[in-house]
Amino acid sequence: VGSVTALTPYIGYSAAAAIAHTALTTNAAIAPLVVAAGLMTDEQVRKVLSPARLSGLAPITSAITVIDVDDPAAAVARAANTTGARNPGDETAG
């Protein structure tokens, strides 16, 4: 049941608590309960609960951009340009 903690960022605390309760009271596995509730696909659950990811051997996200504190707006613009993301309010990008 402890593995449900890893799902909390994806399904929310309330859903995770309900899944944990159901798993404890019915002796069911976490992954099938999450999929049956329509909260995540089987593939998503397997990826999030994979031993490599839970142990820290597999990255969860890509690198995080460090924002230059002297010019945060320029740093955000540079990060957006390198990732292809659009700046908020920039209707000309894209």
Side-chain angles (χ1 to χ4, degrees), residues 15-52:
I19 294 289
H21 177 75
T22 301
L24 282 171
T25 58
T26 63
N27 203 29
I30 296 292
L33 291 174
V34 173
V35 173
L39 299 169
M40 297 174 78
T41 66
D42 184 57
E43 182 180 338
Q44 290 170 324
V45 173
R46 280 188 281 120
K47 182 176 179 182
V48 171
L49 296 181
S50 74

Side-chain angles (χ1 to χ4, degrees), residues 2 4 9 14 20-22 29 31 42 45-46 48-49 58 60 62 64 69 71 73 87 90 92:
V4 77
S14 295
H21 177 75
T22 301
D42 184 57
V45 173
R46 280 188 281 120
V48 171
L49 296 181
I60 301 170
S62 60
I64 299 171
V69 294
D71 191 359
N87 293 328
D90 183 2
T92 60

Side-chain angles (χ1 to χ4, degrees), residues 60-85:
I60 301 170
T61 61
S62 60
I64 299 171
T65 303
V66 177
I67 297 178
D68 181 1
V69 294
D70 292 329
D71 191 359
V76 170
R78 280 193 307 275
N81 289 334
T82 60
T83 62

